[in-house]
Amino acid sequence: MIIKQAVFAGSSQDIEGKPQRALPEFAFIGRSNVGKSSLINTLCAKKGLAHTSATPGKTQLVNHFLINDQWYLVDLPGYGYAKVGKKGREKLEKIIDDYISRSKEMVLLFVLLDSRHDLQKIDLEFMIELGENGVPFSIIYTKCDKSGVNVVNAQIEKNNAAMMEYWEQLPPVFKSSSETGAGREEILDYIDSILKTI
Ligand code: GTP
Ligand code: MG
Protein backbone atom coordinates (compact mmCIF):
# COMPACT_ATOMS: atom_id res chain seq x y z
CA MET A 1 0.00 0.00 0.00
CA ILE A 2 1.16 3.50 -0.77
CA ILE A 3 0.39 6.16 1.80
CA LYS A 4 -0.41 9.28 -0.17
CA GLN A 5 -1.86 11.23 2.69
CA ALA A 6 -1.59 11.04 6.49
CA VAL A 7 -3.21 13.75 8.56
CA PHE A 8 -3.87 14.20 12.26
CA ALA A 9 -7.61 13.79 12.82
CA GLY A 10 -7.97 14.45 16.56
CA SER A 11 -7.20 13.41 20.12
CA SER A 12 -9.75 11.94 22.49
CA GLN A 13 -10.00 10.33 25.90
CA ASP A 14 -13.15 8.37 25.20
CA ILE A 15 -15.17 7.00 22.31
CA GLU A 16 -17.56 9.96 22.41
CA GLY A 17 -14.65 12.24 21.54
CA LYS A 18 -13.19 10.36 18.59
CA PRO A 19 -13.56 11.58 14.99
CA GLN A 20 -17.19 11.53 13.84
CA ARG A 21 -16.41 9.95 10.50
CA ALA A 22 -16.64 6.18 10.87
CA LEU A 23 -13.84 4.42 8.97
CA PRO A 24 -11.83 1.25 9.64
CA GLU A 25 -9.28 1.72 12.40
CA PHE A 26 -5.96 -0.03 13.01
CA ALA A 27 -4.63 0.71 16.49
CA PHE A 28 -1.20 0.46 18.12
CA ILE A 29 -0.73 -0.55 21.73
CA GLY A 30 2.11 -1.75 23.93
CA ARG A 31 4.16 -0.84 26.94
CA SER A 32 5.10 2.78 27.32
CA ASN A 33 8.22 3.64 25.29
CA VAL A 34 8.03 0.47 23.14
CA GLY A 35 7.91 2.64 20.01
CA LYS A 36 4.23 2.96 19.01
CA SER A 37 4.32 6.60 17.95
CA SER A 38 7.66 6.19 16.18
CA LEU A 39 6.35 3.25 14.18
CA ILE A 40 3.27 5.22 13.12
CA ASN A 41 5.55 8.00 11.84
CA THR A 42 7.67 5.48 9.95
CA LEU A 43 4.63 3.77 8.41
CA CYS A 44 3.37 7.18 7.24
CA ALA A 45 6.91 8.32 6.29
CA LYS A 46 6.16 11.53 8.16
CA LYS A 47 8.45 12.53 11.02
CA GLY A 48 6.70 14.37 13.84
CA LEU A 49 3.18 13.26 12.85
CA ALA A 50 2.79 11.35 16.12
CA HIS A 51 4.71 12.83 19.04
CA THR A 52 7.55 10.67 20.35
CA SER A 53 9.89 10.91 23.31
CA ALA A 54 12.82 9.11 24.89
CA THR A 55 10.90 9.47 28.17
CA PRO A 56 8.04 6.99 28.66
CA GLY A 57 4.48 8.24 29.05
CA LYS A 58 4.52 10.63 26.08
CA THR A 59 1.21 9.68 24.45
CA GLN A 60 -1.58 10.40 26.94
CA LEU A 61 -4.62 10.38 24.66
CA VAL A 62 -6.05 8.38 21.77
CA ASN A 63 -4.77 9.98 18.56
CA HIS A 64 -6.40 9.33 15.19
CA PHE A 65 -4.53 9.80 11.92
CA LEU A 66 -6.54 9.73 8.72
CA ILE A 67 -4.77 7.74 6.01
CA ASN A 68 -5.53 8.22 2.30
CA ASP A 69 -8.92 9.62 3.32
CA GLN A 70 -9.90 5.98 3.77
CA TRP A 71 -8.94 4.57 7.17
CA TYR A 72 -7.37 5.55 10.50
CA LEU A 73 -4.15 4.66 12.23
CA VAL A 74 -4.72 5.03 15.97
CA ASP A 75 -1.92 5.81 18.41
CA LEU A 76 -2.79 4.75 21.95
CA PRO A 77 -1.10 5.62 25.24
CA GLY A 78 1.27 2.97 26.59
CA TYR A 79 0.44 0.72 29.51
CA GLY A 80 2.54 -0.12 32.55
CA TYR A 81 4.48 3.09 33.04
CA ALA A 82 5.37 3.16 36.74
CA LYS A 83 6.46 6.77 37.12
CA VAL A 84 3.06 8.33 36.50
CA GLY A 85 1.90 6.76 39.80
CA LYS A 86 -1.13 4.61 40.50
CA LYS A 87 -3.68 7.33 39.67
CA GLY A 88 -1.93 8.29 36.45
CA ARG A 89 -1.64 4.67 35.40
CA GLU A 90 -5.29 3.99 36.11
CA LYS A 91 -6.27 7.05 34.05
CA LEU A 92 -4.28 5.82 31.05
CA GLU A 93 -5.62 2.28 31.46
CA LYS A 94 -9.18 3.63 31.48
CA ILE A 95 -8.51 5.50 28.21
CA ILE A 96 -7.00 2.37 26.63
CA ASP A 97 -9.80 0.06 27.86
CA ASP A 98 -12.50 2.45 26.73
CA TYR A 99 -11.08 2.55 23.22
CA ILE A 100 -10.43 -1.18 22.87
CA SER A 101 -13.71 -2.35 24.34
CA ARG A 102 -16.00 0.27 22.77
CA SER A 103 -14.59 1.22 19.40
CA LYS A 104 -16.75 -0.58 16.87
CA GLU A 105 -14.53 0.64 14.05
CA MET A 106 -11.35 -0.99 15.36
CA VAL A 107 -10.53 -3.73 12.87
CA LEU A 108 -7.28 -4.87 14.42
CA LEU A 109 -4.97 -4.07 17.29
CA PHE A 110 -1.21 -4.28 16.81
CA VAL A 111 0.48 -5.23 20.08
CA LEU A 112 4.05 -3.94 20.05
CA LEU A 113 6.79 -5.81 21.90
CA ASP A 114 10.41 -4.73 22.31
CA SER A 115 12.56 -7.14 20.29
CA ARG A 116 15.33 -7.01 22.90
CA HIS A 117 13.34 -8.36 25.81
CA ASP A 118 11.83 -11.56 27.10
CA LEU A 119 8.06 -11.55 27.09
CA GLN A 120 7.00 -9.46 30.09
CA LYS A 121 4.21 -10.50 32.43
CA ILE A 122 2.27 -7.32 31.71
CA ASP A 123 2.34 -7.98 27.93
CA LEU A 124 1.33 -11.59 28.33
CA GLU A 125 -1.54 -10.70 30.65
CA PHE A 126 -2.67 -7.98 28.27
CA MET A 127 -2.72 -10.37 25.30
CA ILE A 128 -4.46 -13.11 27.28
CA GLU A 129 -7.19 -10.61 28.09
CA LEU A 130 -7.49 -9.65 24.42
CA GLY A 131 -7.91 -13.32 23.57
CA GLU A 132 -10.57 -13.76 26.25
CA ASN A 133 -12.48 -10.77 24.93
CA GLY A 134 -12.19 -11.85 21.30
CA VAL A 135 -10.20 -8.77 20.27
CA PRO A 136 -8.28 -9.51 17.04
CA PHE A 137 -4.62 -8.65 17.36
CA SER A 138 -1.25 -9.10 15.69
CA ILE A 139 2.22 -8.68 17.16
CA ILE A 140 4.93 -6.29 15.99
CA TYR A 141 8.44 -6.45 17.40
CA THR A 142 10.02 -3.00 17.59
CA LYS A 143 13.57 -1.64 17.64
CA CYS A 144 14.95 -4.55 15.61
CA ASP A 145 17.85 -2.31 14.51
CA LYS A 146 19.25 -2.48 18.03
CA SER A 147 20.36 -6.14 17.81
CA GLY A 148 21.70 -8.46 15.13
CA VAL A 149 19.28 -10.48 13.00
CA ASN A 150 20.14 -13.77 14.71
CA VAL A 151 19.72 -12.30 18.17
CA VAL A 152 16.33 -10.86 17.23
CA ASN A 153 15.18 -14.15 15.71
CA ALA A 154 16.31 -16.13 18.75
CA GLN A 155 14.47 -13.74 21.07
CA ILE A 156 11.29 -14.02 19.00
CA GLU A 157 11.54 -17.83 18.99
CA LYS A 158 11.88 -17.78 22.76
CA ASN A 159 8.87 -15.47 23.14
CA ASN A 160 6.82 -17.54 20.68
CA ALA A 161 7.50 -20.63 22.78
CA ALA A 162 6.38 -18.79 25.92
CA MET A 163 3.15 -17.71 24.18
CA MET A 164 2.47 -21.18 22.85
CA GLU A 165 2.00 -22.30 26.44
CA TYR A 166 -1.19 -20.26 26.39
CA TRP A 167 -2.37 -20.49 22.80
CA GLU A 168 -2.45 -23.20 20.19
CA GLN A 169 -1.83 -20.75 17.41
CA LEU A 170 0.08 -17.50 17.33
CA PRO A 171 -1.27 -14.33 15.76
CA PRO A 172 0.69 -12.89 12.81
CA VAL A 173 4.10 -11.61 13.96
CA PHE A 174 6.07 -8.77 12.30
CA LYS A 175 9.59 -7.42 12.86
CA SER A 176 10.12 -3.68 12.58
CA SER A 177 12.48 -0.78 13.01
CA SER A 178 11.45 2.82 12.96
CA GLU A 179 15.08 3.71 12.34
CA THR A 180 15.63 1.64 9.20
CA GLY A 181 12.04 1.24 8.03
CA ALA A 182 12.32 -2.56 8.26
CA GLY A 183 8.91 -4.20 8.30
CA ARG A 184 7.14 -1.13 6.92
CA GLU A 185 6.09 -2.69 3.61
CA GLU A 186 4.96 -5.95 5.23
CA ILE A 187 2.82 -4.19 7.83
CA LEU A 188 1.23 -1.84 5.27
CA ASP A 189 0.53 -4.72 2.86
CA TYR A 190 -1.03 -6.68 5.71
CA ILE A 191 -3.32 -3.75 6.56
CA ASP A 192 -4.16 -3.39 2.87
CA SER A 193 -5.07 -7.06 2.59
CA ILE A 194 -7.45 -6.73 5.54
CA LEU A 195 -8.99 -3.51 4.19
CA LYS A 196 -9.75 -5.31 0.93
CA THR A 197 -11.89 -7.83 2.81
CA ILE A 198 -14.03 -5.17 4.48
P1 GTP B 1 4.57 6.27 24.88
O1 GTP B 1 3.81 7.21 24.02
O2 GTP B 1 5.31 6.96 25.97
O3 GTP B 1 3.76 5.13 25.35
O4 GTP B 1 5.78 5.64 23.99
P2 GTP B 1 5.77 5.06 22.51
O5 GTP B 1 5.51 3.60 22.57
O6 GTP B 1 4.90 5.85 21.62
O7 GTP B 1 7.30 5.23 22.10
P3 GTP B 1 7.97 6.33 21.16
O8 GTP B 1 7.59 6.10 19.75
O9 GTP B 1 7.74 7.68 21.73
O10 GTP B 1 9.52 5.91 21.26
C1 GTP B 1 10.18 5.80 22.50
C2 GTP B 1 11.66 5.92 22.29
O11 GTP B 1 12.15 4.79 21.57
C3 GTP B 1 12.10 7.14 21.48
O12 GTP B 1 13.30 7.63 22.02
C4 GTP B 1 12.32 6.57 20.08
O13 GTP B 1 13.27 7.31 19.34
C5 GTP B 1 12.84 5.17 20.38
N1 GTP B 1 12.50 4.24 19.31
C6 GTP B 1 11.26 3.92 18.88
N2 GTP B 1 11.28 3.03 17.90
C7 GTP B 1 12.59 2.76 17.66
C8 GTP B 1 13.29 1.89 16.75
O14 GTP B 1 12.71 1.16 15.92
N3 GTP B 1 14.65 1.87 16.83
C9 GTP B 1 15.34 2.63 17.73
N4 GTP B 1 16.67 2.52 17.74
N5 GTP B 1 14.72 3.46 18.60
C10 GTP B 1 13.37 3.52 18.57
MG1 MG C 1 3.55 7.34 22.04
Side-chain angles (χ1 to χ4, degrees):
M1 177 183 358
I2 295 164
I3 296 197
K4 294 187 221 89
Q5 198 187 31
V7 286
F8 175 67
S11 298
S12 56
Q13 54 180 336
D14 54 35
I15 289 303
E16 285 73 25
K18 80 172 191 173
Q20 299 278 311
R21 207 169 147 205
L23 291 170
E25 300 181 4
F26 292 81
F28 290 70
I29 189 71
R31 252 178 310 133
S32 199
N33 210 45
V34 71
K36 301 174 289 296
S37 303
S38 302
L39 185 61
I40 286 178
N41 290 341
T42 295
L43 292 177
C44 297
K46 211 168 175 180
K47 272 195 185 131
L49 179 67
H51 296 168
T52 66
S53 169
T55 316
K58 178 68 181 174
T59 309
Q60 299 264 342
L61 292 166
V62 176
N63 294 298
H64 279 68
F65 300 96
L66 178 62
I67 311 298
N68 294 348
D69 205 37
Q70 199 191 1
W71 55 282
Y72 292 110
L73 270 178
V74 182
D75 191 14
L76 294 169
Y79 52 74
Y81 178 44
K83 282 200 182 140
V84 289
K86 192 161 179 273
K87 277 234 169 76
R89 228 173 25 245
E90 281 171 1
K91 189 174 165 225
L92 290 183
E93 276 161 16
K94 195 164 162 265
I95 292 173
I96 295 167
D97 280 354
D98 183 78
Y99 175 78
I100 295 175
S101 61
R102 293 173 66 216
S103 185
K104 291 190 189 75
E105 287 76 28
M106 190 184 76
V107 177
L108 183 80
L109 189 60
F110 287 104
V111 177
L112 274 54
L113 301 173
D114 192 316
S115 60
R116 298 167 297 171
H117 301 151
D118 281 346
L119 194 61
Q120 311 273 300
K121 189 164 171 264
I122 192 167
D123 294 316
L124 185 60
E125 284 174 356
F126 183 81
M127 289 188 283
I128 287 174
E129 206 177 312
L130 291 179
E132 284 171 358
N133 290 309
V135 178
F137 69 97
S138 299
I139 292 171
I140 301 178
Y141 282 95
T142 61
K143 310 190 184 185
C144 291
D145 57 284
K146 292 207 178 206
S147 326
V149 180
N150 293 339
V151 174
V152 168
N153 288 340
Q155 185 65 59
I156 293 175
E157 284 304 315
K158 192 176 173 199
N159 293 2
N160 282 349
M163 285 185 244
M164 289 300 273
E165 288 185 28
Y166 296 85
W167 304 303
E168 284 173 14
Q169 217 188 334
L170 290 179
V173 174
F174 298 90
K175 291 182 263 188
S176 77
S177 164
S178 298
E179 288 291 312
T180 68
R184 181 178 182 272
E185 292 294 317
E186 289 87 342
I187 294 165
L188 289 177
D189 285 349
Y190 178 61
I191 291 173
D192 199 28
S193 71
I194 296 171
L195 281 171
K196 282 186 175 133
T197 67
I198 296 172

